Amino acid sequence: MTFFIYFGESQTMAFEDVCVFTGHDGVNTGVPDEIAPLIEKHIPDPENGIFFSDFDGCLSPDDFGITCFFEKLHNGEYWKWSPKQFSKLLLPTQKTNNNIVSYSKLIKFAIANNGIDPKIKERAKKLQNLQEKLNILYVQIQTETSPGLRNKFAKKMLEFDELILSLEEFFMPFFGNQIFSRLRFFAGKSHTDAKNLAATTIEKGKLRINKDLFYIYENLKKNGAEGRIISTNLMSFIREAVRITILSDIFSEQDVHATKMRGTRGKGNEALRYQNLISGEPVFGTRKAQILKQEIVEKEKKNILSVGDSTSSDGTMLAESLKSGGSNIIVVPENADVAKVAKIFESRLAQCLEVQQLTEEQKQRMWYLQSKNFVDSRRITT
């Protein structure tokens, strides 16, 4: 299958039309600057450079992992576990550092212990209640094919996932890196299964691309720079998104750094099957900064630009970018208060760099892009 995409206007003009607010003065005046002169000033030698981009909420305005997960929840062929197996996956027992730890027992502990933060206790109660509802719904969807019931189940699962992540600070001392809840539901599936799910999701038009960022990356690529995607998401999802969409014009599958799942291989030619644990560290926070530094050293390239949208996931990467002389683009929702967002990011990056505040020169390299121009990632079949 061959694809192409049409954005509706000259790509050169589109790049020149992209504007950002600079942390130096644009944030305070409310007057944006054209990106082209900023890149010309701060990235004068792109052919010797490398740029880094987050994916979810950034290069795409959506969380592609959640989008794929939601697609999976609506597809009955993925749900072949018995109710007992499903219940164990929902709140599993894990072996960590030679200790057997149960999510269920930790939840009960949080609810019963008066010394626990009230917010944690309340979330734990909601999680326990939701667990019971999901176990009941799962039994129902084994025999009923109602789209309404599957949609209800999918929404409850996403709500459950968000609660798990909101309890991260409580779970982390017990589980370390193995807290990424939705990935465990791919246990028993193969890399090919995950790629096919991503492809199906994209074919249904459920992946959008930030058009302004695409033009910026395309310009840097045309001028000799290399690009990398650094994502917390599942590696199989992001590499497939790169392979079959307009992103392949800028990135290769090998340009993607993302979270991997542990796997086991069956007998003979049987495909590698995912376990319910991730492999190594999740690509999050400090791990993103480590990958940036590693790529600069291995490729003998100068860091020229890093792009992110989250202080928690991308903050250390963006701080490392400033430290190594690169510029940063912070992707901001269209209706957000840019000045407020800038203060939050400046404070976070200063903390990462162990200084009281960023210098004026560093603020000149902090650019805030309000997201409002998106395009369907699909290319029309020719």
Side-chain angles (χ1 to χ4, degrees), residues 33-90:
D33 291 292
E34 293 179 352
I35 192 72
L38 287 172
I39 287 180
E40 185 176 353
K41 177 182 177 181
H42 294 281
I43 310 176
D45 190 24
E47 64 269 21
N48 292 317
I50 186 169
F51 60 92
F52 302 88
S53 177
D54 179 37
F55 194 87
D56 300 304
C58 189
L59 184 51
S60 170
D62 313 303
D63 185 323
F64 190 51
I66 287 182
T67 306
C68 288
F69 187 49
F70 200 74
E71 179 68 24
K72 170 182 166 66
L73 292 172
H74 280 84
N75 191 331
E77 70 180 59
Y78 284 97
W79 300 96
K80 300 299 184 183
W81 299 297
S82 68
K84 185 176 181 180
Q85 289 173 320
F86 172 77
S87 183
K88 286 183 176 180
L89 272 176
L90 198 60

Side-chain angles (χ1 to χ4, degrees), residues 94-101 173-176:
Q94 304 266 20
K95 184 176 181 180
T96 306
N97 297 328
N98 296 319
N99 294 313
I100 304 297
V101 187
F174 302 96
F175 291 101

Side-chain angles (χ1 to χ4, degrees), residues 1 3 55 64-65 67-69 71-72 75 78 186 190-207 234-245 253 376-379 381:
M1 190 182 303
F3 299 102
F55 194 87
F64 190 51
T67 306
C68 288
F69 187 49
E71 179 68 24
K72 170 182 166 66
N75 191 331
Y78 284 97
F186 290 90
S190 69
H191 169 65
T192 301
D193 291 330
K195 287 179 63 177
N196 289 342
L197 177 62
T200 299
T201 304
I202 290 167
E203 287 165 6
K204 291 183 178 181
K206 296 180 179 180
L207 175 63
L234 183 62
M235 175 83 81
S236 301
F237 289 163
I238 306 303
R239 286 193 167 179
E240 185 66 4
V242 164
R243 189 182 73 84
I244 67 172
T245 71
E253 291 182 71
D376 190 325
S377 69
R378 290 175 297 179
R379 298 171 173 186
T381 305

Side-chain angles (χ1 to χ4, degrees), residues 8 23 87 98 120 128 145 162 177 203 225 275 329 350 366 369-370:
S87 183
N98 296 319
I120 299 294
Q128 188 179 60
T145 57
E162 289 302 313
N177 295 329
E203 287 165 6
Q275 296 178 6
I329 292 178
M366 293 284 289
L369 173 66
Q370 284 192 298

Side-chain angles (χ1 to χ4, degrees), residues 343-359 362-363:
K343 287 182 179 179
I344 292 171
F345 270 90
E346 287 174 10
S347 176
R348 172 58 178 158
L349 266 59
Q351 181 184 32
C352 292
L353 294 170
E354 299 182 340
V355 297
Q356 287 191 337
Q357 61 183 19
L358 300 184
T359 66
Q362 287 173 328
K363 290 179 182 179

